[in-house]
Amino acid sequence: MTQVSTRIASLAISETLAMSQKSNELKAQGIDVINLSVGEPDFNTPDHIKSAAKKAIDDNFSTYSPVPGYLSLRQAVCKKLETENGLSFKPEQIICSNGAKQAVCNAVLSVVNPDDEVIIPAPCWVSYIEMVKLAEGKSIVIKTGIEQDFKITPAQLEAAITPKTRAIIICSPSNPTGSIYSKTELEGLANILAKHPNIIIISDEIYEHISYIGKHESIAQFENVRDRVVIINGVSKAYAMTGWRLGWMAAPQWIASACNKLQGQYTSGASSIAQKAAEAAYLGDQTCVEDMRLAFMRRRDLIVKLASEIEGFKVNKPEGAFYLFPECSYYFGKSYNGRIINTSADLAMFLLEEGHVASVGGLAFEAPNYIRFSYATSDENIIEAMRRVKETLVKLK
């Protein structure tokens, strides 16, 4: 018997990880591939954070950690939320997990029952819909486009709500678009959600510190919905700690308790060493965060300029994160050497195999007419990648 469960059979593979793997396979064959498919800072973890991890090893932090995380780390998260976001949480409302991805999944699995509806503004991160599937819920996708900067309106939100709506997942700054909801825009959504007290708001803020427009705004700041907002965050993007696998949630006590119970049964606590490193990240010098943000902003400006010069691409200017998400349907129906481009996934594969640039087709993000490029790479790689993309697309007729 080789039949997997229906639960697993229903899941799609992560397209972002799949494209990154294909890129690595070509590199292993000696092909010079520029990988713009992966959402990972190209910087090294700052030295003071690595030093804290080394000290934790020397200090024998080598036993099981508490399921929700060390108290000292949860206190550091509370301090960060208070000083940076003006939000008050207690340590028992913080659950540290193996990456922000697990924190999102914990929240979904803890509040969604079979057939419950979860509203997901699109374009959206590839894993949200699959997590809802795991919970046997139903994703209600609200489509947006480049003309509205990929952000839903209060009217769209209100139209999507039904008696079965159990949750909404908001991501700001956004993966895959880099769009950011302003305080006024979030307030508009909060006012709609305030009318529906049974809806849980999962606010994915993992790209909080990679913003080019000033202060980060969280929907948790609004009193009329604050008691049912679950904030998701972590150290992977802001501190270049993707491989450390340390994320967290700040949640109403009843949700935090439920997630603690769930996590205790399937992974237990996150890595003890990663937790001590994360504690140093939050309590230490923040200069590294600003240095990386400025580098990403420079790269954002560079890739927007170069992509805007490519025929057929419609480009906006992302306000955060490190992704560009141009509209690319101009190339659908075109071909080269008998190879027809029917979808953005076809286009991404064409760019990989013909131009040796890895990207991700927008279908994976519920946006089939778009393609995602990550600019979490050097200026030189961005310049060369966009040159290759431009030259490769010219072949399509």
Side-chain angles (χ1 to χ4, degrees):
M1 292 291 291
T2 58
Q3 185 174 353
V4 300
S5 68
T6 303
R7 181 181 302 106
I8 297 303
S10 70
L11 293 182
I13 63 169
S14 170
E15 198 62 34
T16 54
L17 297 180
M19 285 300 291
S20 185
Q21 181 179 337
K22 290 173 185 174
S23 170
N24 291 333
E25 289 170 357
L26 289 177
K27 284 184 178 180
Q29 296 171 24
I31 297 173
D32 176 25
V33 175
I34 300 176
N35 189 352
L36 304 187
S37 69
V38 66
E40 180 172 39
D42 61 319
F43 300 102
N44 293 321
T45 302
D47 287 342
H48 71 281
I49 298 174
K50 292 190 287 188
S51 295
K54 294 171 186 175
K55 184 176 187 302
I57 293 171
D58 291 337
D59 290 347
N60 296 310
F61 279 88
S62 53
T63 59
Y64 290 130
S65 64
V67 172
Y70 289 126
L71 176 60
S72 56
L73 174 56
R74 289 182 284 134
Q75 288 172 330
V77 170
C78 289
K79 180 179 180 181
K80 169 258 181 291
L81 287 165
E82 183 175 9
T83 57
E84 293 187 355
N85 308 105
L87 298 172
S88 178
F89 284 89
K90 298 176 181 178
E92 52 266 34
Q93 293 178 271
I94 310 299
I95 305 294
C96 300
S97 303
N98 298 280
K101 179 180 281 189
Q102 184 182 21
V104 176
C105 199
N106 280 349
V108 171
L109 291 173
S110 293
V111 302
V112 175
N113 283 313
D115 298 322
D116 280 350
E117 293 177 353
V118 179
I119 294 173
I120 301 178
C124 58
W125 183 45
V126 296
S127 293
Y128 293 150
I129 289 175
E130 305 309 313
M131 291 173 180
V132 174
K133 282 183 189 176
L134 276 177
E136 299 180 62
K138 179 182 178 182
S139 293
I140 304 299
V141 176
I142 302 179
K143 300 282 189 178
T144 68
I146 198 168
E147 67 284 348
Q148 63 190 90
D149 260 345
F150 305 110
K151 293 182 279 190
I152 64 169
T153 65
Q156 284 180 299
L157 174 58
E158 191 155 36
I161 294 173
T162 76
K164 291 186 175 181
T165 304
R166 179 54 173 154
I168 179 173
I169 304 178
I170 298 171
C171 183
S172 178
S174 165
N175 175 6
T177 68
S179 295
I180 296 179
Y181 285 91
S182 68
K183 181 176 181 179
T184 300
E185 289 166 337
L186 287 174
E187 186 174 24
L189 300 181
N191 289 339
I192 298 299
L193 292 165
K195 305 175 189 176
H196 305 274
N198 293 325
I199 298 177
I200 303 302
I201 304 161
I202 301 172
S203 182
D204 187 345
E205 304 178 19
I206 190 65
Y207 292 94
E208 170 185 358
H209 291 101
I210 307 175
S211 169
Y212 315 124
I213 60 171
K215 180 179 177 293
H216 173 73
E217 302 291 350
S218 172
I219 197 168
Q221 69 186 282
F222 301 109
E223 189 65 36
N224 56 358
V225 295
R226 183 176 300 165
D227 63 347
R228 46 201 171 91
V229 174
V230 179
I231 296 173
I232 306 293
N233 212 320
V235 294
S236 62
K237 313 298 184 181
Y239 299 95
M241 295 176 67
T242 51
W244 297 80
R245 307 312 304 135
L246 199 291
W248 49 265
M249 72 165 57
Q253 184 60 63
W254 67 274
I255 295 179
S257 296
C259 292
N260 187 34
K261 180 180 180 181
L262 172 63
Q263 187 166 294
Q265 290 293 1
Y266 82 115
T267 63
S268 295
S271 160
S272 56
I273 307 305
Q275 287 191 57
K276 299 308 290 183
E279 186 179 331
Y282 284 123
L283 297 179
D285 184 4
Q286 301 299 301
T287 303
C288 57
V289 177
E290 178 64 5
D291 289 345
M292 286 186 275
R293 188 192 71 84
L294 290 173
F296 286 131
M297 184 164 64
R298 184 188 69 247
R299 296 168 179 182
R300 185 274 310 264
D301 293 342
L302 177 61
I303 198 170
V304 166
K305 175 183 179 295
L306 296 174
S308 297
E309 297 169 356
I310 297 175
E311 184 181 13
F313 274 4
K314 296 178 184 176
V315 178
N316 71 336
K317 192 172 185 178
E319 295 178 325
F322 37 65
Y323 306 107
L324 186 69
F325 204 59
E327 207 274 353
C328 61
S329 62
Y330 171 84
Y331 291 99
F332 296 174
K334 296 184 183 294
S335 64
Y336 174 69
N337 283 347
R339 179 176 188 167
I340 302 175
I341 304 300
N342 292 313
T343 67
S344 57
D346 293 341
L347 189 64
M349 191 57 66
F350 180 71
L351 290 175
L352 177 60
E353 295 176 352
E354 289 288 334
H356 302 152
V357 175
S359 57
V360 185
L363 185 62
F365 306 104
E366 295 293 315
N369 292 344
Y370 297 81
I371 190 167
R372 193 190 79 172
F373 297 102
S374 167
Y375 53 87
T377 188
S378 69
D379 294 41
E380 293 76 18
N381 277 347
I382 292 170
I383 292 169
E384 175 61 15
M386 289 298 103
R387 184 193 67 79
R388 294 183 188 183
V389 169
K390 189 174 186 177
E391 289 187 359
T392 303
L393 291 178
V394 168
K395 298 177 182 179
L396 293 170
K397 306 296 182 182

